[in-house]
Every structure is written in C-alpha cells, then in structure tokens.
Amino acid sequence: MFKNVTIYRIAPGWAPALETMEAALDAARFVPCGATQDKSVGWVEPRGEAHGPLVESVAGQRMLKLMIETKAVPGSVVREKADEEAEHIEATTGRKPGKKQMKELREDALLSLLPQAFPRRSAAWVWIDQANGWLVTDASSQGKADELVTALVNAFNDLNVTLLQTQVTPQTAMTQWLSAPSSDEDDGGAPGGFAVERECELKSGDEEKSAVKFTRHNLATDEVRKHITEGKLPTRLAMSWEGRVGFVLTESLQLKRLAFLEGVFDDRADDGESGFDTDVALTTGELSKLIPELIEALGGEMAFGAAASDATAVPGSEAKASQGHAAVTAVGDDDDPPF
C-alpha cells in the first residue's frame, strides 16, 4: 500500500467529520481525460469499489486516494505535424508563418493528436491520522506530493499543513550514525530500535558535487568514515526498525522504498477478497509506532510553522548538516531494498 512516506503536520483544530470530508471530495471526484484534455486529477474510491465512498475509516484512521491521469504526445510528432501545416500554408499563400502563427499551429497540432494518445494513470495514497495530527502520503516524487497537497487544500479550504520538521536534520543524524566507532557495528550507531543497513549515498557540498554510493556493503568501516571526514555527507541511508520495517531515509526526511519485513503480515486475517481493512490496520499500526521513534531519534519535532534552522548538532557530533530539509524530488523507486 505505502512504498514511500512523506509526513506533514496538520495545524491544530482541523477535525472534520467523515461526512464533511466525503462531501468535499465528491465535488472533485476523478473523471478521465476528455478527448483533447492532457491531464485530469481527482479522488477515487480507496477500496476500489465503483461508486463507493471516497474516504475510508479503518480503526480510526482515514484513507484517501488521488488519481492522476495524463496524456502525452511526443514533441517531435507535434512539431512534424505543425511543420507540415506551415509548409501547406506557405505553398498556398506564398507566405511563411511567423512565430506567433507557428505557436498556434503547434497548439492546434497537439489538440488534434491528443485523442490518439494513450492515457497513463498513477495514484497516491493519503493517510490522515487525526489523533496524532499527521497527514502521510506515499507520493513517489515531490511533484506528485505537491499536486496531492494542492488537491487537498482545494477540497478543504480550512486545511493547513506543513512538512514535518525535526530539531536535528536527518543529514546530521545520519552523519553521526555512520561516523560511530566500529564497536557500534550491531546497529551502525543508530539509536533505539533502528539499525543501519547496507546501502547509502554520500555527496560533497563543493562545486564538484562528487558522490559515492555503497550498495550491499558494510557501512561500519573506515572507508565510509574517511569519505565523511573528507566532506561527503549522507543524502540517503538504508535502515530498518525493530526488524519489522525497512526503508531508505533521505536528507529531506522522506522514507523511500518502504518494506514490511518477514513476519509482519504473517498474522494477516482474511477480511474479504481485497483485504483492504487488514492492510490499512497493519500498515498504519506499524507506521504509528515507527514515526514517533524516528522523530525522537532526530531530536524531537519543531513547533508547527517554525522555520527550519541551520544545522542543529547531534550531541557528540561535529558533523555539519544541510540547510533545513524541505522535500526533494525523488527520481523514482529503486530495486528491492537492501534489508
């Protein structure tokens, strides 16, 4: 259900009833692209049942699903069709189309070709935990996350959210964990129930932007610590929590390539063909425990709306951190996690 996690903090006081949310989303229900429409965004039934509710409540947790459909025509095809029309105009009138007319010809060419384009759909889950004041999405890129938040704010004009910010930036914390002495190899220097796994990416902050990636590699080594000493800081780090959840933590506090490890779903009850209720309960149940512990490992949460400060050092660490951590654009899901 969730392959990625981006966490937003909901401003205090927002607690609409289920019926209120349903009515608001119904006004923006997903409709497929029209013949000459290149994009359509709207809400669909989380359970996948036609004409079902757009907001599902399972064990007090609310689930929504945004659908994005796009139709694209290769630019080369558009230009070729526009050029053919321009040549026809020049041959029949003796006048070569100017820049303004060429722009209009390309727009007309796109409209004429869109009905032949195949639509592509992608969906993003939204989990709203009103008790904890979290809004969590599995959008795989920052563009999708921004689009999702925009759709939510358009539907609920009294909704105010901000990316969750911690007192210690993820980059500072990851630097400390990777710099831990060899005696801490069991968990890679990570606190509590977290453990450093076998993958990371280090980048320098200088003009060269040099980078090094470790994959399926022991990270509690002098080689990794040497790269950090030379100025390369972690941007991604594979981790696990309590042997139950694996993920890649990014410098922007995103959890990528989320994976529930062996045994977590062993007791999964059969609640029908889809198993939707069980999946939601297990997924949100695990994340409801992981997220607070991750926040604690990063020094606690900043107050809602507070500006992200410069590096806040982890006690005992001399590492530098990134300037805040607003969400970054994700390239996309990688191969199976290294857990």
Side-chain angles (χ1 to χ4, degrees), residues 10-44:
I10 302 173
W14 189 76
L18 198 64
E19 296 78 9
T20 302
M21 293 183 67
E22 183 70 31
L25 295 186
D26 189 61
R29 188 180 287 268
F30 174 74
V31 177
C33 288
T36 59
Q37 187 179 2
D38 62 353
K39 187 173 188 178
S40 179
V41 178
W43 300 98
V44 296

Side-chain angles (χ1 to χ4, degrees), residues 170-171 174-175 178 200-204 211-213 232-238 248-254 256 322 328:
Q171 190 168 69
M174 291 189 291
T175 301
L178 290 172
C200 77
E201 179 181 75
L202 306 170
K203 287 185 179 180
S204 67
V212 59
K213 295 181 180 180
K232 296 185 185 73
L233 298 180
T235 57
R236 296 163 67 95
L237 178 63
V248 174
L249 178 65
T250 75
E251 61 182 331
S252 59
L253 193 51
Q254 289 179 308
K256 308 293 292 182
S322 61
V328 299

Side-chain angles (χ1 to χ4, degrees), residues 17-96:
L18 198 64
E19 296 78 9
T20 302
M21 293 183 67
E22 183 70 31
L25 295 186
D26 189 61
R29 188 180 287 268
F30 174 74
V31 177
C33 288
T36 59
Q37 187 179 2
D38 62 353
K39 187 173 188 178
S40 179
V41 178
W43 300 98
V44 296
E45 301 84 351
R47 201 177 291 272
E49 298 175 353
H51 311 296
L54 297 175
V55 184
E56 291 285 351
S57 180
V58 178
Q61 307 300 329
R62 297 185 180 180
M63 301 297 297
L64 293 68
K65 193 174 184 180
L66 185 74
M67 183 68 70
I68 302 172
E69 182 177 271
T70 58
K71 291 199 298 184
V73 178
S76 59
V77 177
V78 174
R79 287 192 297 272
E80 182 179 349
K81 187 172 180 60
D83 289 344
E84 289 176 357
E85 183 61 26
E87 290 174 2
H88 175 71
I89 292 174
E90 186 175 4
T92 55
T93 67
R95 178 181 54 82
K96 187 174 182 179

Side-chain angles (χ1 to χ4, degrees), residues 120 138 150 158 170 232 324 337:
R120 297 182 61 183
D138 78 327
T150 298
D158 57 343
K232 296 185 185 73

Side-chain angles (χ1 to χ4, degrees), residues 174-175 178 196-203 211-221 223-225 227-228 232-239 247-249 257 338:
M174 291 189 291
T175 301
L178 290 172
V196 170
E197 296 296 337
R198 294 166 57 82
E199 180 179 315
C200 77
E201 179 181 75
L202 306 170
K203 287 185 179 180
V212 59
K213 295 181 180 180
F214 292 89
T215 304
R216 294 185 293 277
H217 194 287
N218 177 20
L219 301 181
T221 65
E223 180 184 6
V224 173
R225 288 187 281 271
H227 280 295
I228 293 174
K232 296 185 185 73
L233 298 180
T235 57
R236 296 163 67 95
L237 178 63
M239 303 185 71
F247 59 92
V248 174
L249 178 65
R257 292 160 56 190

Side-chain angles (χ1 to χ4, degrees), residues 47-333:
R47 201 177 291 272
E49 298 175 353
H51 311 296
L54 297 175
V55 184
E56 291 285 351
S57 180
V58 178
Q61 307 300 329
R62 297 185 180 180
M63 301 297 297
L64 293 68
K65 193 174 184 180
L66 185 74
M67 183 68 70
I68 302 172
E69 182 177 271
T70 58
K71 291 199 298 184
V73 178
S76 59
V77 177
V78 174
R79 287 192 297 272
E80 182 179 349
K81 187 172 180 60
D83 289 344
E84 289 176 357
E85 183 61 26
E87 290 174 2
H88 175 71
I89 292 174
E90 186 175 4
T92 55
T93 67
R95 178 181 54 82
K96 187 174 182 179
K99 289 184 178 180
K100 182 178 179 181
Q101 189 173 9
M102 281 302 303
K103 180 181 178 182
E104 293 174 350
L105 289 176
R106 285 192 290 269
E107 291 174 349
D108 291 342
L110 176 60
L111 288 175
S112 67
L113 291 167
L114 274 174
Q116 305 170 41
F118 290 102
R120 297 182 61 183
R121 291 185 181 182
S122 61
W125 289 97
V126 180
W127 162 34
I128 296 176
D129 184 340
Q130 290 185 320
N132 288 306
W134 297 330
L135 188 152
V136 181
T137 173
D138 78 327
S140 60
S141 70
Q142 188 54 41
K144 282 187 180 178
D146 291 344
E147 198 154 31
L148 187 147
V149 171
T150 298
L152 283 167
V153 172
N154 287 339
F156 310 112
N157 54 23
D158 57 343
L159 173 63
N160 186 12
V161 300
T162 185
L163 279 167
L164 187 140
Q165 302 281 343
T166 53
Q167 297 290 342
V168 177
T169 65
Q171 190 168 69
T172 298
M174 291 189 291
T175 301
Q176 185 199 30
W177 301 336
L178 290 172
S179 300
S182 299
S183 59
D184 292 335
E185 287 186 5
D186 287 345
D187 59 9
F194 293 97
V196 170
E197 296 296 337
R198 294 166 57 82
E199 180 179 315
C200 77
E201 179 181 75
L202 306 170
K203 287 185 179 180
S204 67
D206 56 23
E207 293 181 357
E208 292 186 358
K209 303 294 182 183
S210 56
V212 59
K213 295 181 180 180
F214 292 89
T215 304
R216 294 185 293 277
H217 194 287
N218 177 20
L219 301 181
T221 65
D222 290 338
E223 180 184 6
V224 173
R225 288 187 281 271
K226 183 174 184 293
H227 280 295
I228 293 174
T229 302
E230 292 173 348
K232 296 185 185 73
L233 298 180
T235 57
R236 296 163 67 95
L237 178 63
M239 303 185 71
S240 61
W241 171 77
E242 298 289 359
R244 299 179 65 80
V245 183
F247 59 92
V248 174
L249 178 65
T250 75
E251 61 182 331
S252 59
L253 193 51
Q254 289 179 308
L255 277 57
K256 308 293 292 182
R257 292 160 56 190
L258 190 74
F260 295 97
L261 305 182
E262 186 175 356
V264 174
F265 279 56
D266 284 356
D267 298 328
R268 182 180 184 276
D270 185 7
D271 63 351
E273 292 183 3
S274 68
F276 178 82
D277 290 346
T278 300
D279 287 347
V280 170
L282 287 172
T283 299
T284 59
E286 294 294 324
L287 292 178
S288 292
K289 300 171 186 174
L290 185 158
I291 292 173
E293 291 195 21
L294 180 59
I295 293 172
E296 182 180 354
L298 297 175
E301 185 178 355
M302 295 181 67
F304 182 87
S309 62
D310 290 349
T312 304
V314 177
S317 171
E318 297 179 357
K320 295 183 293 182
S322 61
Q323 302 288 320
H325 45 275
V328 299
T329 299
V331 175
D333 292 341

